[in-house]
Amino acid sequence: MSDLINTSKPVLPPQLARFVTATAGRNMTRPAYLVVLIGVGTMILLTVNPAYEAAHHWVDAILWTCLAFFAFEWLVRIRHAALAGRTMGYLTSMRGVMDAAAVVAIPGAILLGAPPKTAWLLSVLWLVKVIPAVPGLRQLRRVLVLESGPLLSVLTIFLIVLFLGSVTVYFFERDAQPGTFGSIPAALWWAVATLTTTGYGDVVPITPLGRLVAALVMISGLGVFGLWTGILATGFAAETRRDNFLKTWESVSKVPFFATLGPAAIADVTHMLRTIDLPPRVMIMRKGQQGDCMYFIASGEVEVDLPAGKKVRLSEGAFFGEMALLGNSLRSANISTTRLSKLLVLDLVDFRLLMARHPDLAQTIDAEAKRRELENK
Amino acid sequence: MSDLINTSKPVLPPQLARFVTATAGRNMTRPAYLVVLIGVGTMILLTVNPAYEAAHHWVDAILWTCLAFFAFEWLVRIRHAALAGRTMGYLTSMRGVMDAAAVVAIPGAILLGAPPKTAWLLSVLWLVKVIPAVPGLRQLRRVLVLESGPLLSVLTIFLIVLFLGSVTVYFFERDAQPGTFGSIPAALWWAVATLTTTGYGDVVPITPLGRLVAALVMISGLGVFGLWTGILATGFAAETRRDNFLKTWESVSKVPFFATLGPAAIADVTHMLRTIDLPPRVMIMRKGQQGDCMYFIASGEVEVDLPAGKKVRLSEGAFFGEMALLGNSLRSANISTTRLSKLLVLDLVDFRLLMARHPDLAQTIDAEAKRRELENK
Amino acid sequence: MSDLINTSKPVLPPQLARFVTATAGRNMTRPAYLVVLIGVGTMILLTVNPAYEAAHHWVDAILWTCLAFFAFEWLVRIRHAALAGRTMGYLTSMRGVMDAAAVVAIPGAILLGAPPKTAWLLSVLWLVKVIPAVPGLRQLRRVLVLESGPLLSVLTIFLIVLFLGSVTVYFFERDAQPGTFGSIPAALWWAVATLTTTGYGDVVPITPLGRLVAALVMISGLGVFGLWTGILATGFAAETRRDNFLKTWESVSKVPFFATLGPAAIADVTHMLRTIDLPPRVMIMRKGQQGDCMYFIASGEVEVDLPAGKKVRLSEGAFFGEMALLGNSLRSANISTTRLSKLLVLDLVDFRLLMARHPDLAQTIDAEAKRRELENK
Amino acid sequence: MSDLINTSKPVLPPQLARFVTATAGRNMTRPAYLVVLIGVGTMILLTVNPAYEAAHHWVDAILWTCLAFFAFEWLVRIRHAALAGRTMGYLTSMRGVMDAAAVVAIPGAILLGAPPKTAWLLSVLWLVKVIPAVPGLRQLRRVLVLESGPLLSVLTIFLIVLFLGSVTVYFFERDAQPGTFGSIPAALWWAVATLTTTGYGDVVPITPLGRLVAALVMISGLGVFGLWTGILATGFAAETRRDNFLKTWESVSKVPFFATLGPAAIADVTHMLRTIDLPPRVMIMRKGQQGDCMYFIASGEVEVDLPAGKKVRLSEGAFFGEMALLGNSLRSANISTTRLSKLLVLDLVDFRLLMARHPDLAQTIDAEAKRRELENK
């Protein structure tokens, strides 16, 4: 994909070419995050009168530059889609519409006669572009989709309580407070602030019966809250387990240490491990620290600073930190990554279970631990 | 049942006959939802003075039409119950009372001398008719019933804190603020708004000791909230598992693929599967998408768009999407339903476990996957 | 115990004797609940000026009567304890102190010169007597004790955020609002209302930096809330499982149906069952209803209304409702209790698992179901 | 380590020497807690004008004394670190920086010209020193780290809703309320108070469309709350299980009773036990109480008050309370600790499971129980 672009634009300097490729391929590049931040920040400044007066030339310049950036981003993506022969696919996709809106909305509003200060408010749409790049969003969405049934039920109950509450309180309060409870829409405003336990206090029942109904609405608010949370907590527990399994599964089968296990045992082991991704030069363990887990290297490399100043490198498939689990709980060396690495973490708790269920693995670890100790003495 | 009605009213046009049957059989038909929405919406309009002045003929007409609709619905159901010989059963059932109230309440109020604008407020009762039709309601109710013990305990604690808090704050504040804390009912109003963390701010303690007690009440509010939610979350987790098992169990035993399993294994498999119901012409998977689950057809039919333009139909008992779980994670064809179908979804996570525990199933899937690949080449 | 009292007071009419026995033995009798309710209700009335003026003779009379009731209760218990030779044990126990306080506090306050309207406020202590009788309280307390470690940590974090937040906001706001943020106690009042998300709005920061800190305090409030709830939810899940096991265990071993199982299987079965206690003449299932569970009678008796008008009684150890789990999901008879009964409920989900793991139980149930069907034809 | 200090400062009285050792070794000693409490309490008094006027000599004296205490603490720790040859390590560690800030900040602020009443506000930093000593903090931090992915996603969603909501409401309200909704920062203040359901009520939308958006923001607030709590609840459940296992594991392997078990069974048993640490002279069980658990002594000693006035001591490895689980649910003796003891608690629920899975353990307990009963008769 990136070759295609490099080939067709040989005149671009390499850094720009790389940026174009990144823009075409991913939702948000680092510069794009920066531009969104600056753009939205400047737009906020625009609404603060004294600040804007003092620096309105700068503010305008920054905003137009941000808009230009998004226009450029959009064009790169249209061109990229065109090369892949799916221009319409991109333009009508969620992402394409969002990209278009970010560029077209503001000039469009200005052309339609909106005052610039109002039109620039639409730059809040730039923020929406960040949403698909939120890392855990897929997981959140899965929970919301899988639990949509009970969540909708709770929402319906919420709405019914809202309407019943506001009609009843309207009935009791309309004569006492015709100004604030003069119509059901006004009572609904009160009810939503009460049922969500926000409680602004701008509209408050004053008759005894109105207050009684209000108290019931507040307590229902607690109940709705509790149901909502209970459903989401349940969904999250299941999803977290699943997500961890999926992330770990692939790595486990690549570690030779586990290769001797049958598929049932691998599934079992996968539930015990946790994957972590580390950038280069990160200290994984520090000498003298308390340790309660061991590590397997799924990919990448680590460097062990042995006491005598020796340095040993361990690569894919090796394990370390096992001494902490075999009785000696203080780490005996500093260990850090040398490059981007994916490690599998085995907790003390699960180590015990693993050793109990698969005694052969225990022997392998034990033998290796003894070999290392001898070597280091 | 519907035959009975069709026979006895042969003069009805077929569409109306179908609607009558639906009204008699189900709690809420689609037109009924619409009428509730329009009716309640119009009633809200009625309370907004300028809007009502401008269009009061229309508003009145719509409200009376809605009432007529519910009267018609009620009569159909009474007649239907009479034909089945259980008129009294229907009239005294929850549903019968709700249907009657929706029709009788408003004219009754007008006859008793209530001004029409007040009487129409009772149309909020129409909303109550929707409650039994909320889909997840049975599940919610089961949780509330099963956990009623601890929930009632928390409610009692809530009430005791409420009374202790309001008496204490009344004692400290009555001299400082005789207007707002002049009696215990007034202090109770403050306490309920505080303990639910609503916090209107219309009644606020001002003496140091009153504020100290108020702070304790607020923190108790957090605790009550937490207990409430904890109980509901626990109940929901159990209920969700149970509900899913019940929905899936029946379908599993119908899929021939699982027929070779003993009852223990079927119970095991049922815990791994998830049921989804799809209307016709829904795209289940799209070519090139990332896949992490496979599907079994419990009922219905799907159509596979093979690369060469060939179309293959799979019916009840077949499975598809297994390639995603056997190493090739990109979907290789578009698949969509041709009619209302019930599918069983097996996630990658559970697929691993299933394969490990039942290697014979793994072989079946593997063999079928290879056969298909050969065929497609 | 009750014999002792009956013997020593032979002149008491039987009903009063029974009441005395109940008062001595239990924390709260039914009349005691009523007296608490009336007493506290009347005390509330006392503080409402116009209501009190109008009926102050009645109000005073009721309050003194309630006090007399608690004095009587206290004396009965002291005498009962004296007969058992542990007067001091009772007087210094939690319950004894509460009983004494309920009686002595109000006259004591009047003697010490408090105006009667103030002294009667102490009748809120009567409410405290109800606490030990709250049914699920033991369970709640166990959760709070077992999770006290993490709960205290969250409370400490809560307090530290509270102090840091209020000192910072005091620093930013004291010059802008010397009236409301004039000292740290005032700022603490603001902070506690904010951190618990109550938000009265009587004290609100107005400087930009103060508002920024306030926003952070609010978001921390969400976090504290979430942690608190998470801990309680976890504790409750464990406690509910344990509680259910304890309640069910004893009953299971008494049902002959499960007698053939080994101890491991009984522990297994106990996790699947749920105990319910039913008063006499409660309808357990209704003919034609959808059924998804079967019942075992741990104690008591039920009556089956068979279709032909025959009535059959099933007693301890029998089971019913099994047809719903064997394919025919509609209940075929009305069944109700004849006296106080304890039933064990087996859900469809767990029935499947039970049948899979213990095929011999499946045969027993199957055979009995067939026998009954033959008999009913 | 403590020897080193005692040797180097032989002139110190033993109590002071012990305190110096404690200060050097632990984060917070008991006197340190007291000084923090007094110091922060006095600082709060400082801001209350009339209280300060009346006692400002005392207030100043106390604050300077507290500062001196922390200076002393800091010096002891620097010296201790110097003796161990890692002065720089201590000074640049989190703890070292906190210790330094607690001492240097206030005099520094005074030297830089801040009025003393303002400078002393910095004594809130003393509170920060308490944080690392909060017991469950490690556990809380692990949950936050492990769940940081989904928590950050929810925070991002929170922020995006915040900005979208405030821009929209600003657009609708700016003309109606130029005073309160005059700029987006003002609207953000409203949005954060609404989305966290705090709801001060100082800034409230009044236009119909503004209120509609506000209602959506409030409901989103509930959703954010629910997600946040759900994630934390899930994390806590996993962490609690893990923490308990780690604490119990070591003790289990030391109890001879479990020594005959293989490693798999020990892992199994560890999940069933709960560790409690008790100071000397604590009553563990009281004669006549209802019992539902038995105890194993992992370390320490308990004393049994037998009925005949005999006293028996049980030490490490012994068990007691087993009768409650073998049918006789009332405790038959008072048992209390004689010194600091660590006990393993086995609940009735888990006792049943243990007996079922390891019948040999059941026999050992049964035999011992019979022997004891004979002995006591």
Side-chain angles (χ1 to χ4, degrees):
Chain A
M1 199 67 69
S2 74
D3 290 6
L4 265 177
I5 289 173
N6 285 341
T7 322
S8 62
K9 278 203 170 189
V11 288
L12 281 180
Q15 199 148 10
L16 185 55
R18 220 174 317 133
F19 172 63
V20 165
T21 314
T23 298
R26 258 180 305 150
N27 251 338
M28 290 292 294
T29 53
R30 273 199 208 161
Y33 278 114
L34 203 73
V35 173
V36 168
L37 220 72
I38 293 175
V40 173
T42 312
M43 180 268 282
I44 290 177
L45 217 66
L46 186 77
T47 67
V48 184
N49 271 324
Y52 180 58
E53 310 281 82
H56 73 275
H57 285 302
W58 283 102
V59 166
D60 288 355
I62 293 171
L63 285 172
W64 282 108
T65 313
C66 293
L67 189 63
F69 177 88
F70 291 115
F72 168 73
E73 205 178 37
W74 190 37
L75 291 175
V76 165
R77 285 179 190 167
I78 291 179
R79 190 166 165 280
H80 179 78
L83 287 175
R86 40 180 199 77
T87 317
M88 274 324 286
Y90 166 69
L91 284 178
T92 58
S93 74
M94 194 71 174
R95 195 180 145 195
V97 169
M98 263 157 50
D99 287 349
V103 177
V104 174
I106 298 161
I110 293 176
L111 286 181
L112 288 171
K117 275 182 92 167
T118 302
W120 282 111
L121 289 181
L122 287 166
S123 69
V124 82
L125 287 172
W126 299 345
L127 214 61
V128 177
K129 295 180 74 160
V130 176
I131 296 178
V134 174
L137 202 79
R138 243 193 77 260
Q139 199 178 338
L140 278 184
R141 205 167 49 195
R142 253 187 78 95
V143 171
L144 293 178
V145 167
L146 287 180
E147 303 287 334
S148 58
L151 288 177
L152 278 177
S153 306
V154 173
L155 197 66
T156 315
I157 291 170
F158 178 92
L159 289 175
I160 290 174
V161 172
L162 200 72
F163 275 87
L164 288 178
S166 54
V167 169
T168 320
V169 171
Y170 164 75
F171 177 73
F172 289 131
E173 298 286 329
R174 59 181 173 174
D175 297 327
Q177 308 188 71
T180 47
F181 277 101
S183 68
I184 289 185
L188 275 171
W189 168 245
W190 162 83
V192 81
T194 301
L195 195 54
T196 57
T197 77
T198 307
Y200 284 131
D202 55 338
V203 188
V204 174
I206 52 170
T207 64
L209 285 170
R211 287 184 167 189
L212 197 70
V213 176
L216 292 177
V217 169
M218 284 175 215
I219 294 170
S220 307
L222 287 193
V224 166
F225 233 165
L227 283 172
W228 200 269
T229 307
I231 295 166
L232 290 172
T234 304
F236 245 96
E239 193 54 28
T240 301
R241 248 192 329 269
R242 181 180 175 277
D243 213 62
N244 183 51
F245 189 95
L246 287 182
K247 273 199 291 190
T248 308
W249 171 266
E250 247 176 306
S251 308
V252 169
S253 43
K254 283 188 207 146
V255 174
F257 182 75
F258 298 115
T260 56
L261 296 173
I266 286 196
D268 194 36
V269 165
T270 302
H271 274 298
M272 294 179 183
L273 295 165
R274 196 160 37 86
T275 315
I276 51 170
D277 292 288
L278 292 174
R281 279 177 304 282
V282 165
M283 184 74 87
I284 305 169
M285 54 174 77
R286 208 177 289 274
K287 197 180 159 178
Q289 260 184 339
Q290 202 74 18
D292 59 4
C293 59
M294 68 177 288
Y295 300 86
F296 297 88
I297 307 174
S299 70
E301 196 191 48
V302 304
E303 193 176 64
V304 188
D305 276 343
L306 286 175
K310 258 198 305 183
K311 297 205 171 195
V312 175
R313 296 200 162 198
L314 299 173
S315 61
E316 227 167 286
F319 58 83
F320 58 92
E322 75 288 348
M323 308 232 182
L325 309 185
L326 295 168
N328 177 4
S329 75
L330 291 186
R331 299 301 194 187
S332 59
N334 287 335
I335 301 186
S336 51
T337 53
T338 59
R339 45 192 167 90
L340 187 72
S341 304
K342 187 193 283 295
L343 302 179
L344 298 173
V345 186
L346 180 66
D347 249 359
L348 178 53
V349 181
D350 300 310
F351 177 73
R352 303 294 189 200
L353 291 176
L354 185 69
M355 296 304 101
R357 293 197 205 147
H358 305 286
D360 43 327
L361 291 185
Q363 281 171 12
T364 315
I365 291 183
D366 227 45
E368 175 69 13
K370 277 190 190 121
R371 200 190 56 74
R372 285 185 189 172
E373 226 167 333
L374 275 177
E375 220 178 65
N376 296 348
K377 270 180 188 157
Chain B
M1 200 64 70
S2 74
D3 289 6
L4 265 178
I5 290 173
N6 284 341
T7 320
S8 62
K9 279 202 168 190
V11 289
L12 280 180
Q15 198 147 9
L16 185 54
R18 220 175 314 134
F19 172 62
V20 165
T21 314
T23 298
R26 257 180 305 149
N27 253 336
M28 291 291 294
T29 53
R30 273 199 208 162
Y33 278 114
L34 204 72
V35 173
V36 167
L37 220 71
I38 292 174
V40 174
T42 313
M43 180 268 281
I44 290 176
L45 217 66
L46 187 76
T47 66
V48 184
N49 271 323
Y52 179 59
E53 310 282 81
H56 72 276
H57 285 301
W58 282 103
V59 165
D60 288 353
I62 292 171
L63 285 171
W64 282 108
T65 312
C66 292
L67 188 64
F69 177 88
F70 290 115
F72 167 73
E73 205 178 37
W74 192 37
L75 291 176
V76 166
R77 284 179 190 166
I78 291 179
R79 189 167 167 280
H80 179 77
L83 287 175
R86 39 180 200 79
T87 318
M88 275 324 288
Y90 166 70
L91 285 177
T92 58
S93 74
M94 194 71 175
R95 196 182 144 194
V97 170
M98 263 158 50
D99 286 350
V103 178
V104 174
I106 298 162
I110 293 176
L111 287 180
L112 289 172
K117 275 180 92 167
T118 302
W120 282 111
L121 289 181
L122 287 166
S123 69
V124 83
L125 288 171
W126 299 345
L127 214 60
V128 177
K129 296 180 73 159
V130 177
I131 296 179
V134 175
L137 203 78
R138 245 194 76 259
Q139 200 179 338
L140 278 184
R141 206 168 49 196
R142 252 187 80 93
V143 171
L144 293 178
V145 167
L146 287 180
E147 302 288 334
S148 59
L151 287 177
L152 278 177
S153 306
V154 173
L155 197 66
T156 315
I157 291 170
F158 178 92
L159 289 175
I160 290 175
V161 172
L162 200 71
F163 275 88
L164 288 179
S166 53
V167 169
T168 320
V169 171
Y170 165 74
F171 177 73
F172 290 130
E173 298 286 329
R174 58 181 173 174
D175 297 328
Q177 309 189 70
T180 46
F181 277 101
S183 68
I184 288 185
L188 275 170
W189 168 244
W190 162 83
V192 80
T194 302
L195 196 53
T196 57
T197 76
T198 308
Y200 283 131
D202 56 337
V203 188
V204 175
I206 53 170
T207 65
L209 284 169
R211 287 184 166 188
L212 198 69
V213 175
L216 291 177
V217 170
M218 284 176 217
I219 294 171
S220 307
L222 287 194
V224 167
F225 232 166
L227 283 172
W228 199 269
T229 308
I231 295 166
L232 290 172
T234 303
F236 245 96
E239 194 52 29
T240 301
R241 249 194 326 268
R242 180 179 176 278
D243 213 62
N244 183 50
F245 188 95
L246 286 181
K247 273 199 290 189
T248 308
W249 172 264
E250 247 175 307
S251 309
V252 170
S253 44
K254 283 188 208 146
V255 174
F257 182 74
F258 298 115
T260 57
L261 296 172
I266 286 196
D268 193 37
V269 165
T270 303
H271 276 299
M272 294 178 183
L273 295 165
R274 197 159 38 86
T275 316
I276 50 171
D277 292 289
L278 292 175
R281 278 178 305 280
V282 165
M283 184 75 86
I284 306 169
M285 54 174 76
R286 209 176 289 273
K287 198 181 160 179
Q289 260 186 337
Q290 203 74 18
D292 58 5
C293 59
M294 69 177 287
Y295 301 87
F296 297 88
I297 307 174
S299 70
E301 196 190 49
V302 305
E303 193 176 67
V304 188
D305 276 344
L306 286 175
K310 257 198 305 182
K311 297 203 171 194
V312 175
R313 295 201 163 198
L314 299 173
S315 61
E316 227 167 287
F319 58 83
F320 57 92
E322 75 287 348
M323 307 232 183
L325 310 185
L326 295 168
N328 178 3
S329 75
L330 292 186
R331 300 300 195 187
S332 60
N334 288 335
I335 300 186
S336 51
T337 54
T338 59
R339 46 192 167 90
L340 187 72
S341 305
K342 187 192 284 295
L343 301 180
L344 298 172
V345 185
L346 180 66
D347 247 0
L348 178 53
V349 181
D350 300 309
F351 177 73
R352 302 294 189 199
L353 292 176
L354 185 69
M355 296 304 100
R357 293 196 205 148
H358 305 285
D360 43 327
L361 291 186
Q363 281 171 11
T364 315
I365 291 184
D366 226 45
E368 175 69 13
K370 276 190 192 124
R371 200 190 55 74
R372 286 186 189 172
E373 225 167 333
L374 275 177
E375 221 177 65
N376 295 347
K377 269 177 189 161
Chain C
M1 199 64 71
S2 75
D3 290 5
L4 264 177
I5 290 174
N6 285 340
T7 321
S8 61
K9 279 203 170 189
V11 290
L12 281 180
Q15 198 148 10
L16 185 55
R18 220 173 317 133
F19 172 63
V20 166
T21 314
T23 298
R26 257 180 306 149
N27 251 338
M28 291 292 294
T29 54
R30 274 203 206 157
Y33 279 113
L34 203 71
V35 174
V36 168
L37 221 70
I38 292 174
V40 174
T42 313
M43 179 269 282
I44 289 177
L45 217 66
L46 187 77
T47 66
V48 184
N49 273 323
Y52 180 59
E53 311 282 81
H56 73 276
H57 285 301
W58 282 103
V59 165
D60 289 353
I62 292 172
L63 285 172
W64 283 107
T65 313
C66 292
L67 189 63
F69 176 87
F70 291 116
F72 168 73
E73 205 178 37
W74 192 37
L75 291 175
V76 165
R77 284 178 190 167
I78 290 178
R79 188 167 166 281
H80 179 78
L83 287 176
R86 39 180 200 79
T87 318
M88 274 324 287
Y90 167 69
L91 283 177
T92 58
S93 74
M94 194 71 175
R95 197 181 144 194
V97 170
M98 263 157 49
D99 286 350
V103 177
V104 174
I106 298 161
I110 293 176
L111 287 180
L112 288 172
K117 275 182 90 167
T118 302
W120 282 111
L121 289 181
L122 287 166
S123 69
V124 82
L125 288 171
W126 300 344
L127 214 60
V128 177
K129 294 180 75 159
V130 177
I131 296 180
V134 174
L137 202 79
R138 243 193 76 261
Q139 200 179 340
L140 278 184
R141 205 168 49 197
R142 252 187 78 94
V143 171
L144 294 178
V145 167
L146 287 179
E147 302 288 333
S148 58
L151 287 177
L152 278 177
S153 306
V154 174
L155 197 66
T156 315
I157 291 170
F158 178 91
L159 290 175
I160 290 175
V161 173
L162 200 71
F163 276 87
L164 288 179
S166 54
V167 169
T168 320
V169 170
Y170 165 74
F171 177 74
F172 289 131
E173 297 286 329
R174 59 181 172 174
D175 297 328
Q177 308 189 70
T180 47
F181 278 102
S183 68
I184 288 185
L188 275 171
W189 168 245
W190 162 82
V192 80
T194 301
L195 196 52
T196 58
T197 77
T198 308
Y200 284 131
D202 55 338
V203 188
V204 175
I206 53 170
T207 64
L209 285 169
R211 287 184 165 188
L212 197 69
V213 175
L216 291 177
V217 170
M218 285 176 215
I219 293 171
S220 307
L222 287 193
V224 166
F225 233 166
L227 283 172
W228 199 270
T229 308
I231 295 166
L232 291 172
T234 303
F236 245 96
E239 194 53 29
T240 301
R241 248 193 328 267
R242 179 180 176 279
D243 214 61
N244 183 51
F245 188 95
L246 286 182
K247 273 199 290 190
T248 308
W249 173 266
E250 248 176 306
S251 309
V252 169
S253 43
K254 283 187 208 146
V255 173
F257 182 74
F258 298 115
T260 56
L261 295 172
I266 286 196
D268 194 35
V269 165
T270 303
H271 275 298
M272 293 178 183
L273 295 165
R274 196 160 36 88
T275 316
I276 51 170
D277 292 288
L278 292 175
R281 278 179 304 282
V282 164
M283 183 73 88
I284 306 168
M285 56 174 75
R286 209 177 288 276
K287 197 180 158 179
Q289 260 185 338
Q290 203 74 18
D292 57 5
C293 59
M294 70 177 286
Y295 300 86
F296 298 87
I297 307 174
S299 70
E301 196 190 50
V302 305
E303 194 175 66
V304 187
D305 276 344
L306 286 176
K310 259 197 303 183
K311 296 204 171 195
V312 176
R313 294 199 164 201
L314 299 173
S315 62
E316 227 168 285
F319 58 83
F320 58 92
E322 75 288 348
M323 307 231 184
L325 309 186
L326 295 168
N328 177 4
S329 73
L330 291 185
R331 300 300 196 188
S332 60
N334 287 335
I335 300 186
S336 50
T337 53
T338 59
R339 45 192 166 92
L340 186 72
S341 305
K342 187 192 283 296
L343 302 179
L344 298 172
V345 186
L346 180 65
D347 248 0
L348 178 54
V349 181
D350 299 310
F351 177 74
R352 301 295 189 198
L353 291 176
L354 185 69
M355 296 304 101
R357 293 196 205 148
H358 306 285
D360 43 327
L361 292 185
Q363 282 171 12
T364 315
I365 291 183
D366 226 45
E368 175 70 13
K370 276 189 190 122
R371 201 189 55 74
R372 287 185 189 172
E373 225 167 332
L374 275 177
E375 223 176 63
N376 296 348
K377 270 178 186 160
Chain D
M1 200 63 73
S2 75
D3 290 6
L4 263 178
I5 289 173
N6 285 341
T7 321
S8 62
K9 278 204 168 189
V11 289
L12 281 180
Q15 200 147 10
L16 186 56
R18 219 172 318 132
F19 172 63
V20 165
T21 314
T23 298
R26 257 179 306 148
N27 252 338
M28 291 292 294
T29 54
R30 273 201 207 160
Y33 278 113
L34 203 72
V35 174
V36 168
L37 221 69
I38 293 174
V40 173
T42 313
M43 180 268 282
I44 289 176
L45 217 66
L46 186 78
T47 67
V48 183
N49 272 323
Y52 180 59
E53 311 281 82
H56 73 275
H57 285 301
W58 282 103
V59 165
D60 288 354
I62 292 171
L63 285 172
W64 282 107
T65 313
C66 292
L67 189 64
F69 177 88
F70 290 115
F72 168 73
E73 205 179 36
W74 191 37
L75 291 175
V76 165
R77 284 180 190 166
I78 290 179
R79 189 167 164 281
H80 178 80
L83 287 175
R86 39 180 200 79
T87 318
M88 275 324 287
Y90 167 69
L91 285 177
T92 57
S93 74
M94 194 69 175
R95 196 181 146 195
V97 170
M98 263 157 50
D99 287 349
V103 178
V104 174
I106 299 161
I110 293 176
L111 287 180
L112 289 172
K117 275 182 89 166
T118 302
W120 283 110
L121 289 181
L122 287 167
S123 69
V124 82
L125 288 172
W126 300 344
L127 214 61
V128 177
K129 295 180 74 158
V130 176
I131 295 179
V134 175
L137 202 79
R138 243 193 76 259
Q139 201 179 339
L140 278 184
R141 206 167 48 195
R142 252 187 78 93
V143 171
L144 293 179
V145 167
L146 288 180
E147 302 288 334
S148 59
L151 287 177
L152 278 178
S153 306
V154 174
L155 197 67
T156 314
I157 290 170
F158 177 91
L159 289 175
I160 290 174
V161 173
L162 200 70
F163 275 87
L164 288 179
S166 54
V167 169
T168 321
V169 171
Y170 164 74
F171 177 74
F172 289 131
E173 297 286 329
R174 58 181 173 175
D175 296 327
Q177 308 189 70
T180 46
F181 278 102
S183 68
I184 288 185
L188 274 171
W189 168 245
W190 161 84
V192 80
T194 301
L195 195 53
T196 58
T197 76
T198 308
Y200 284 129
D202 55 338
V203 189
V204 174
I206 53 170
T207 64
L209 285 170
R211 287 184 165 188
L212 197 70
V213 175
L216 292 177
V217 170
M218 285 176 215
I219 294 170
S220 307
L222 287 194
V224 166
F225 232 165
L227 283 172
W228 200 270
T229 308
I231 295 166
L232 290 172
T234 303
F236 245 95
E239 194 53 29
T240 301
R241 246 192 331 266
R242 180 178 176 279
D243 213 62
N244 183 52
F245 189 96
L246 287 182
K247 273 198 290 190
T248 308
W249 172 265
E250 247 176 306
S251 309
V252 169
S253 43
K254 284 187 206 146
V255 173
F257 182 75
F258 298 114
T260 57
L261 296 172
I266 286 197
D268 193 34
V269 165
T270 302
H271 275 299
M272 293 179 182
L273 295 164
R274 196 159 39 86
T275 315
I276 51 170
D277 292 288
L278 293 174
R281 278 179 304 283
V282 164
M283 184 73 88
I284 306 169
M285 54 175 77
R286 208 176 290 273
K287 199 180 158 178
Q289 261 185 338
Q290 202 74 19
D292 59 3
C293 59
M294 68 176 288
Y295 300 86
F296 298 87
I297 308 174
S299 69
E301 196 190 50
V302 305
E303 193 175 66
V304 187
D305 276 343
L306 285 176
K310 257 198 305 183
K311 297 205 170 194
V312 175
R313 295 200 163 200
L314 299 173
S315 61
E316 227 167 285
F319 57 85
F320 57 92
E322 75 289 347
M323 307 233 183
L325 310 186
L326 294 169
N328 177 4
S329 75
L330 291 186
R331 300 301 194 186
S332 60
N334 287 335
I335 301 186
S336 51
T337 53
T338 59
R339 47 192 166 90
L340 186 72
S341 304
K342 187 193 283 297
L343 302 178
L344 298 172
V345 186
L346 180 65
D347 248 359
L348 178 53
V349 181
D350 299 310
F351 177 74
R352 303 293 189 199
L353 291 177
L354 185 69
M355 296 304 101
R357 292 196 205 148
H358 306 285
D360 44 326
L361 292 185
Q363 283 172 10
T364 315
I365 291 184
D366 225 46
E368 175 69 13
K370 277 192 190 121
R371 200 190 55 75
R372 287 185 189 173
E373 225 168 332
L374 275 177
E375 221 177 62
N376 295 348
K377 270 179 189 161

